[in-house]
Structures are given as structure tokens and as C-alpha cells.
Amino acid sequence: MVAKPDGPEDVPEDRKPPSDEARSAFVPPAGVEPPEPPEEEHPTSEFALPEGLAPEPPAEQEGSAFAPPSTYSAQNSPPAFTPAYGIPLAKLPQDAPWQDRMRTMLRLPVGERPVPEAPRKADEAGPPVPRVLDLTLRIGELLLAGGEGAEDVEAAMFAICRSYGLDRCEPTVTFTLLSITYQPSLVDDPVTANRTVRRRGTDYTRLAAVYLLLADINDPEHDVSPEEAYRRLAEIRRNRHPYPGWVLTAAAGVLAGAASVLLGGGPTVFFVAALGAMLGDRLAWLFAGRGLPEFYQFLVAAMPPAALGVALTLLHADLRPSAVITGGLFALIPGRALVAAVQDGLTGFYITASARLLEVGYFFVAIVVGVLSVLYLAVQFGAQLNPEGVLSPVERPWVQIAASMVLCATFAILLQQSRGTVLFATLNGGVAWVIYASIAVTADGSAVMATAVAAGLVGLFGQLAARYHHTSSLPYVTAAIGPLLPGSATYFGVLAIAQNNLDQGFGSLAKAAALALAIAIGVNLGGELARLFMQAPGAAAARRAAKRTRGF
């Protein structure tokens, strides 16, 4: 009998023929260990630790910026990316000032900004996008040309776009260029418009009118159409300045006279300083009418006060020629531009801040060159200019307080402020001078610290007044810093250079720069303190500052 062949299921595993997969050239034969993969094809990361080796915890450096806090827990660490439960919705209450709400939204990432509170219906047609963008740029141009900081201009532009339903917009402000981009959705092409600021003028009355228009546009109870906004904007542009030219010239003279009284001058010094400042102002107007740049306008405006001070020295009059020259400098130092430059730098707009500081530097050099030219000629003619007169202040508290308030009032007129804001700026400047004199003169403290503290109070009070009136803080702040401007340090540095005392002269000019920066930083800090302690625009939407690195 023939035996039946075994079926496939009856054949032992070791006797089965190898399959096609088993015959692959990449499969090692039975009983051969697979080779180790090459180093470049090793599946393990080169940073992985070998098995059985525990990493040694690094020693925590005391005070290191990279050491985790003692309360840090890896199990309960905050999420590094978007958490599973989402990002808390930022809520911006309507009763908060629109400046704070828009500034908060600008500092939020685009993905975390809240949607408009009253979204438009799908079948409701909104205003034309190009018209809204053009209106936004025109209003932003007036604000930037009037001296507002870059962040405040961006907040205003952002507020206008959102008020007309353009919530996906990004404004950008530099020193001379305004641009805004609107993207309807993630799949639509963006629309971009820009505008160049070619002329700058100081008219705080016009600035207050622009803020009133902005408040009406952002108020949900006022339905201001783009056509109505254009009409009001045209009226603002056509409005004449509140003060004629002869009033401005007289105000410049009174400002210089009041500054000379602050430095110990009498009635005669007051009138001589006022005459020099008025002559310089008229020369600057003449050069402006001929189309010359502002550098030469500042240069010629600084010459008449210096010339009259030198004339008093050559006549051997028993007066204070240094007070005459220094008083003329108070009307020329660009304190407004300096405050705006430092504010832009502190808020992260470094390009605009650099351009503003460069502009201030050019004006400062023009003043120095104008005064230095006259003083150099005076030294050649044998004029005995005494720099110690600047450093010996005369203590006349009530007279100096009155002079500081007169200085602030005339400074407000030069800035073309409305008559309703002149009184507050005058009182704010008087308080600033009292604080400065108490620290620097009575307590014999540091002049830089006294200037910073007084400027901080000016910024605080000015920001509070601006919030109450829903307008810009510049009319309440800029004129009030007039008595704090470093006119004495500037004149002393220029005089030392004219007498070939270069080290002493540049040291005094560096002190003047430090005093100017103290003014600007103090004003900005006072304004930030006012915003900090007033109503915040929502706990979930706290104002965020940019996160900076630690030097790496």
C-alpha cells in the first residue's frame, strides 16, 4: 500500500520551504544575528541617553535668569502653545476709553483679538473699503503731523477702521509714512493704502478737534457716516489758527523774558531777553517765507538773544547777560519733539523714535551753532563772559513761581492751544516748577532726579485731564514742561566751547541731554501711571508689552 503524502498542514515548521519574503536578499539567514545599522542611519537621536544611564541634574545657579522658580512644577506647567480648552476671549467693555481699547487690541496677537461687538448682517452693505482707508489715512496724517506718538496714531487708525466694520486691518506708522492694510478674509487679496506726511505744524486746537471727531466716530450712539466725517475733516483743515502771527511773536518774547526772570534777571533783563526772542522769531519767519529748511530757521533765531547778551557784556552793564541768552534758548529747545521721540522708543516704535531723535539732534545743533557763532565773535572782541552767573541761582520763590506760570501760558499760546486748556497747562507748569525747586534748590538734590519727578507729575496730571475731556494729553503736558527745559546747561556748554574749554563744554551739553531725556521719560512714565490706575479695558485683555530677550 502506498503511503499518502503529507499535507501542508502536516509538515513541521522547520521542514517547510521558505517563502518568497523569506528568500529576500535583505533578510539574514536563520541563525545569523542582524548587523548593527550604520551610525548615520541610527534610528535613535544623537541627544538620547544610553540605557541605564540617568542624567545628572545641573546645579541650580542662584539668581540665574534660566533657573525655574521654586514654585514651578512640570506637571502643572502652563501650556506653551494653544491649550486644548482654547484661549480665553478678550472682552473690551464699551465704557472704557476708546484709546485704551484700541491700544489693547493692537498689542494683542491677531488671532486673539475679539470680533466686533455688533457684526454687520450678511445682506447689509458697508461703506466702500478704499474710502474708509483714505479717511483713516487723512486723520492719521493730521495726528502725526500735530506731534502725536506713533502708538496713539495707530490706535486712532485702528479705531476708525473697526468703527466702519473693517476689523481685519493692520495700521503701520513711521516718521513720515502712514500705511494700512485690510484683508476681508483669509482667502481674499489684501487692500493696502499709504500716505506720506510732508508738512508738520503745531496746532493743538486742530488736534483737539480731530480727537472730538474720533470720539464721535467711535461712539455707537453717534452714526457718523464717511461723508459726514469727510465734511468735518475738511472744516478742521480750513479753520484758521486761534492766534495771529503778531500774538505768537509777542508770546515768544514774553516766554524768553519769563525764563530770564527764573534765572535771576530783573525788569531790564526781562525786556532785553524779550526783544532778542522777538527779533529771532521774526528772522525765523522771514527765512521760512523764503523756503529755507528749519535748521537755518533755528540757527538765525538763536543769534539775536546771544547778540544782545554780548552787547550787555561789552557795555559793562551791571546785569545778567547769561540770563538774557539763556532766556532766548527756552523758546527754541524742541521739547515737544523730544517727548514724542522718547515716547515712541519706550513703546517699541524704534524707527520712528530714531527719526524723531535725529530731528531733535539737528535742531539742537542749529541752536548751538547759532549761539556759538555769536559767542566766538564776542570772545575775539574781548568780551568777558562769565559762566558762573548761570550756576548761581537767585532764590525768589514767589517771583519764580509767577515767572514759571507766565512761561507756561506763553508756551501754550505758541502751541496754538485753545483758550480752555491754557489755564490748566499754566497751573500744571507752576506745580512742576515748585516740585523741581523743592528738590534741586531747597533740598540741594540732583537736578536730573528733580526734573524727572516734576515731569512725571506733569505727565500724570496731563493724562488725567485728557481722560476727563476725552482728548489728547499733549495740550496739557507740552507747555507745562517749559520751565524744566535745559536752557542753562545748553548755554553753559556752548560758552565753554567758545572759550576752548572743550571737556567742560561737552560735559555740560551731555548734562543738558540728560535733563532733556529725564523730562521725556518722566512725562511718559506719568502718563503710563495714569493709565495703570484708571479703569482697565478688561482683565482678560490686559495691556501686553513686547517680550524681549535677555541679551541673546
Side-chain angles (χ1 to χ4, degrees), residues 256 272-273 275-281 300-311 321 324-329 332 371 374:
V272 173
L275 177 61
M278 288 189 290
L279 289 176
D281 183 76
V300 298
M303 286 184 172
L308 290 180
V310 169
V324 173
I325 302 176
T326 306
L329 297 181
L332 298 176
V371 177
V374 176

Side-chain angles (χ1 to χ4, degrees), residues 47-73:
F47 299 101
L49 295 174
E51 296 182 3
L53 179 62
E56 181 181 358
E60 181 177 345
Q61 301 179 6
E62 183 177 359
S64 173
F66 303 99
S70 58
T71 58
Y72 177 81
S73 173

Side-chain angles (χ1 to χ4, degrees), residues 113-193:
R113 291 176 182 172
V115 297
E117 291 77 2
R120 187 186 299 110
K121 298 179 181 179
D123 57 348
E124 182 181 351
V129 173
R131 193 164 179 80
V132 174
L133 296 184
D134 180 72
L135 175 65
T136 302
L137 290 174
R138 290 178 182 273
I139 293 178
E141 178 189 8
L142 281 180
L143 294 176
L144 188 62
E148 277 288 1
E151 187 179 31
D152 294 327
V153 177
E154 280 196 2
M157 296 171 64
F158 193 71
I160 297 170
C161 288
R162 284 184 62 89
S163 298
Y164 289 114
L166 307 185
D167 57 309
R168 290 179 174 269
C169 64
E170 284 295 332
T172 304
V173 175
T174 58
F175 184 57
T176 58
L177 181 65
L178 299 168
S179 65
I180 188 165
T181 301
Y182 169 67
Q183 188 172 12
S185 66
L186 296 177
V187 297
D188 293 329
D189 294 333
V191 181
T192 302

Side-chain angles (χ1 to χ4, degrees), residues 256-271 273 312 318-327 330 388-397 399-401 403-404 407 433 441 488:
S260 66
V261 173
L262 278 178
L263 301 172
T268 305
V269 172
F270 177 92
F271 287 108
L312 290 180
D318 189 15
L319 299 171
R320 297 173 69 93
S322 59
V324 173
I325 302 176
T326 306
F330 270 82
E388 299 299 329
V390 182
L391 301 180
S392 56
V394 178
E395 294 190 20
R396 298 177 298 175
V399 174
Q400 290 177 330
I401 292 175
S404 66
L407 189 153
W433 175 259
V441 180
S488 300

